[in-house]
Amino acid sequence: MIVRAARAEELAEVGELRVAAYTSQHLLDRVPWYADRLRRLGEHGEVLVAVDGDKILGTALLERWHEDSELAAGPADAEIRAFAVAPDAQGRGVGRMLVRAVVERAAELGARRVLLSTQPIMLAAQRLYEEAGFVRAPELDFEPAQGFTMLAYQKEL
């Protein structure tokens, strides 16, 4: 298993993997409109994929700061977005490899801080982030929809 940049011809499959992973965990139940956004994410960053042979097992988007960033406050920041592991690949270390690769890539690009947001019910993901050195940043929590809070995490590089 390796992590590499996604190829242009893989982006549609990556989008569907994101939606399948989020749907399997009921993460889109309260924000079904986000499925379309998950399919398209990538215009402001690098899409990484974890692959085993020719099978995509997971993905994460590394997004550098831009004017419409959700969490990044300036050019020294980067965000992890659209983090997803295929339902049949969960529990195999795919997520750990992806988080490590995204953080390493952010450092290569000169980021000094990596941020991400997660839903309160995503307990396994939160443990993974904390194991990777991310800490809660409650001052950055936000509501993309009324009554739907996203929890923010950050890691200084």
Side-chain angles (χ1 to χ4, degrees), residues 14-27:
V14 166
E16 293 308 317
L17 182 148
R18 290 172 180 158
V19 172
Y22 280 54
T23 299
S24 74
Q25 296 179 39
H26 302 282
L27 302 175

Side-chain angles (χ1 to χ4, degrees), residues 1-7 9-11 13-14 17 47-60 84-86 89 92-95 97-98 101:
M1 184 170 27
I2 62 165
V3 176
R4 61 167 171 76
R7 299 179 184 122
E9 65 271 15
E10 296 172 323
L11 294 179
E13 180 181 353
V14 166
L17 182 148
V47 177
L48 300 179
V49 290
V51 297
D52 188 2
D54 62 353
K55 182 170 173 59
I56 298 174
L57 304 177
T59 184
V85 175
R92 294 176 43 193
V94 175
M97 282 186 69
L98 278 166

Side-chain angles (χ1 to χ4, degrees), residues 36-55:
D36 289 334
R37 182 82 174 121
L38 280 172
R39 288 183 177 100
R40 296 187 324 269
L41 273 173
E43 65 268 17
H44 292 292
E46 296 181 30
V47 177
L48 300 179
V49 290
V51 297
D52 188 2
D54 62 353
K55 182 170 173 59

